[in-house]
């Protein structure tokens, strides 16, 4: 029929147009299509009070005001898990929020087997002497970073001895050792929804690995000082903190290009992505910076975020040693050695950092992670900073601390539609 012929011609023209479009034009077309789907999805959602939590927007997962729902925890409700002999340097939480993986300067790794509900230690992998990593299951030097894949299958750990170890998270069995970095491995992150692993090192490079294939992919260079932290989400890119080169960098892996951000005055020691468009970082000048990935300067900068300390008669800011966002929300936690963990609210469209509460916690807070549901915060605490021994807080306990965050209402899953 004439109408059928017309539809076939239109379909053929559309296919030809799609074939001719450039990658940038295709991205733009798909983005417009996605936004239109979100608009239609938003119009079909029930109003507040009809089964949807007020303030939660499925169509805009980057702007969930979870800070309105979290209440200040009772210090007596904080659970302290003891097991590491030396300072805890890093930790992650399993995607189902059931287990905590932690590691420390003592070379042991307690993997997958701190059970959150009971607090039981379920698995310990002992370390060994330097050079015996092939014979022993564990690391032989300080573990500085770790990451878990979004499906909970793989756990990756990096140490001062330039090694990355890949583990089966369920069985605690070591699967593979990646070599290639020329200095301490200081940052690890799995790309969300994949088994692609990014690593950062004091050798100033970022490397890309395919864990499922036990394969090295490529190396990226750009930082002028040791890289101290790394993070990634779903996009094929990652962000890094460049220590004393004073820069935060966004690495676009397919294009092999990078964007450089300036804002801190001291060594940038930690960085985390809040969502696909914003990130937070901390430095030893005491500042916490909130960034948008399209601006080269911070959107907000909180100076002396944890206050000042007396150091040999001089007033110096407390170093920011850890930052953690509750993904796709407006809630951020920061850690130092100021005897407290601070919670912050990202307000005014991520253009302002407002302090909410101080949670008492003695020691160097070397790592922070929110549970995916936002109902608890985990802190890795030690008597020393994870990267050195500048101070030692004797009364601190080398431990993993579980901080419950009572909520006024049950928060729904923070995943965006289709896992984006």
């Amino acid at each position: 029929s004439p109408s059928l012929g017309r539809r076939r011609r239109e379909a053929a023209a559309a296919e030809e147009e799609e074939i001719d479009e450039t990658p940038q034009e295709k991205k733009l077309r798909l983005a417009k299509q996605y936004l239109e789907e979100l608009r239609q999805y938003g119009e079909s959602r029930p109003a507040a009070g009809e089964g949807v939590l007020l303030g939660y927007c499925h169509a805009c997962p980057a702007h969930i005001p979870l800070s309105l729902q979290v209440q200040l925890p009772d210090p007596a409700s904080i659970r302290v898990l003891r097991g590491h002999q030396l300072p805890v340097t890093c930790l992650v939480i399993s995607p189902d929020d059931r287990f905590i993986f932690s590691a420390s300067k003592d070379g042991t790794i307690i993997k997958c087997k701190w059970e959150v509900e009971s607090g039981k230690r379920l698995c310990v992998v002992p370390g060994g002497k330097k050079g015996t990593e092939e014979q022993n299951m564990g690391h032989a030097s300080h573990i500085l970073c770790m990451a878990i894949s979004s499906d909970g299958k793989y756990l990756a750990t990096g140490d001062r001895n330039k090694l990355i170890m890949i583990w089966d998270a369920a069985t605690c069995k070591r699967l593979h050792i990646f070599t290639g970095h020329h200095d301490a491995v200081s940052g690890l992150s799995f790309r969300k929804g994949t088994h692609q692993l990014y690593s950062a090192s004091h050798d100033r490079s970022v490397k890309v690995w395919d864990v499922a294939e036990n394969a090295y992919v490529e190396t990226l260079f750009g930082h002028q000082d040791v890289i101290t932290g790394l993070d990634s989400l779903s996009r094929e890119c990652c962000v890094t903190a460049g220590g004393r080169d004073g820069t935060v960098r966004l690495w676009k892996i397919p294009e092999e290009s990078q964007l450089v951000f300036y804002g801190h005055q001291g060594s940038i020691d930690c960085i985390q992505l809040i969502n696909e468009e914003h990130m937070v970082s901390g430095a030893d000048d005491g500042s916490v910076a909130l960034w948008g990935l399209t601006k080269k300067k911070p959107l907000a900068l909180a100076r002396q975020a944890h206050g000042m300390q007396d150091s040999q008669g001089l007033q110096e800011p407390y170093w920011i040693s850890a930052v953690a966002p509750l993904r796709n929300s407006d809630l951020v936690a920061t850690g130092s050695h100021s005897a407290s963990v601070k919670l912050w609210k990202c307000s005014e469209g991520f253009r302002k950092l407002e302090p909410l509460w101080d949670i008492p916690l003695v020691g160097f807070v070397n790592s922070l992670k929110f549970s995916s549901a936002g109902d608890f915060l985990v802190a890795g605490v030690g008597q020393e900073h994870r990267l050195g021994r500048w101070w030692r807080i004797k009364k601190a306990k080398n431990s993993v601390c579980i901080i419950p965050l009572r909520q006024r209402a049950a928060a729904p899953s923070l995943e965006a539609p289709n896992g984006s």
Side-chain angles (χ1 to χ4, degrees):
S1 66
S3 60
L4 178 60
R6 186 176 64 255
R7 285 199 299 269
R8 284 178 175 171
R9 288 193 298 274
E10 289 174 353
E15 286 182 9
E16 185 177 350
E17 183 179 346
E18 185 170 337
I19 292 171
D20 291 340
E21 68 183 353
T22 67
Q24 289 297 329
E25 290 170 342
K26 183 177 181 181
K27 288 180 181 178
L28 182 60
R29 176 176 58 79
L30 292 176
K32 289 180 178 178
Q33 178 181 333
Y34 180 60
L35 289 174
E36 177 62 22
E37 290 174 359
L38 289 182
R39 186 188 64 77
Q40 295 175 1
Y41 183 84
E43 290 175 353
S44 66
R45 287 187 300 121
E50 297 180 5
V52 175
L53 185 66
L54 183 62
Y56 179 79
C57 175
H58 288 277
C60 303
H63 298 88
I64 306 168
L66 259 294
S67 59
L68 301 176
Q69 300 165 14
V70 175
Q71 294 179 346
L72 177 65
D74 180 1
S77 66
I78 298 175
R79 291 188 290 155
V80 180
L81 309 182
R82 300 293 302 277
H84 291 291
Q85 301 301 312
L86 293 179
V88 176
T89 55
C90 52
L91 58 83
V92 292
I93 305 172
S94 62
D96 59 8
D97 288 347
R98 293 179 58 200
F99 304 107
I100 297 168
F101 304 67
S102 63
S104 78
K105 288 186 177 183
D106 56 21
T108 63
I109 173 170
I110 298 175
K111 306 192 308 70
C112 174
K113 306 304 176 184
W114 286 112
E115 191 174 47
V116 172
E117 186 174 352
S118 67
K120 290 181 179 179
R121 187 177 67 185
L122 302 180
C123 178
V124 178
V125 178
K129 292 184 179 180
K130 187 175 180 179
T132 65
E133 290 89 352
E134 290 291 347
Q135 292 76 34
N136 295 293
M137 280 297 294
H139 289 270
S141 60
H142 298 177
I143 301 169
L144 298 181
C145 54
M146 63 196 321
I148 189 169
S149 59
S150 54
D151 61 0
K153 183 176 181 179
Y154 296 113
L155 181 74
T157 53
D159 67 15
R160 277 199 176 277
N161 200 26
K162 316 168 192 175
L163 299 179
I164 300 170
M165 293 190 182
I166 307 299
W167 309 80
D168 184 311
T171 64
C172 297
K173 180 183 177 182
R174 192 178 72 196
L175 303 176
H176 194 67
I177 298 178
F178 286 139
T179 59
H181 280 296
H182 301 293
D183 206 335
V185 180
S186 53
L188 289 168
S189 180
F190 280 94
R191 181 185 172 198
K192 189 175 178 181
T194 75
H195 294 144
Q196 188 176 62
L197 177 69
Y198 304 123
S199 65
S201 169
H202 287 184
D203 65 11
R204 308 180 186 184
S205 73
V206 173
K207 290 184 183 291
V208 185
W209 314 83
D210 186 331
V211 171
E213 299 295 330
N214 290 336
Y216 160 79
V217 180
E218 62 179 313
T219 302
L220 304 170
F221 296 97
H223 277 293
Q224 303 302 308
D225 192 29
V226 300
I227 302 176
T228 54
L230 175 147
D231 195 26
S232 67
L233 284 175
S234 299
R235 293 178 181 172
E236 200 170 354
C237 63
C238 63
V239 294
T240 53
R244 295 212 169 274
D245 77 0
T247 68
V248 165
R249 296 183 186 234
L250 169 67
W251 303 82
K252 298 181 179 181
I253 308 300
E255 295 91 339
E256 296 185 4
S257 64
Q258 57 190 283
L259 298 178
V260 184
F261 303 80
Y262 296 91
H264 292 286
Q265 299 300 312
S267 174
I268 308 172
D269 291 342
C270 46
I271 187 166
Q272 289 282 293
L273 283 159
I274 301 172
N275 52 52
E276 297 286 9
E277 303 296 336
H278 300 90
M279 57 186 172
V280 61
S281 61
D284 70 0
D285 63 359
S287 63
V288 175
L290 184 61
W291 309 81
L293 298 188
T294 59
K295 301 284 186 180
K296 295 298 181 73
K297 297 290 184 181
L299 300 177
L301 186 68
R303 302 183 187 277
Q304 302 172 14
H306 279 249
M308 302 290 285
Q309 63 176 330
D310 183 62
S311 177
Q312 299 178 348
L314 298 175
Q315 289 292 308
E316 294 183 356
Y318 283 102
W319 296 6
I320 307 302
S321 51
V323 295
L326 178 52
R327 300 286 196 195
N328 298 321
S329 81
D330 63 344
L331 190 62
V332 170
T334 59
S336 181
H337 60 288
S338 60
S340 70
V341 169
K342 283 182 175 285
L343 294 183
W344 304 77
K345 175 185 177 182
C346 304
S347 60
E348 298 181 12
F350 288 90
R351 295 187 177 276
K352 188 176 181 181
L353 271 172
E354 296 180 12
L356 293 175
W357 306 297
D358 287 12
I359 303 170
L361 205 59
V362 177
F364 279 88
V365 179
N366 289 321
S367 185
L368 287 168
K369 288 289 185 295
F370 281 98
S371 65
S372 58
D375 54 347
F376 64 89
L377 172 68
V378 182
V381 181
Q383 294 181 335
E384 302 169 351
H385 192 284
R386 74 180 183 105
L387 296 177
R389 305 188 66 182
W390 296 282
W391 295 283
R392 188 166 185 266
I393 302 175
K394 293 183 178 180
K395 60 181 179 180
K397 297 177 181 179
N398 298 319
S399 59
V400 173
C401 298
I402 302 177
I403 305 167
L405 301 173
R406 298 193 307 274
Q407 296 183 338
R408 295 183 177 87
S413 169
L414 299 183
E415 295 297 325
N418 302 321
S420 62

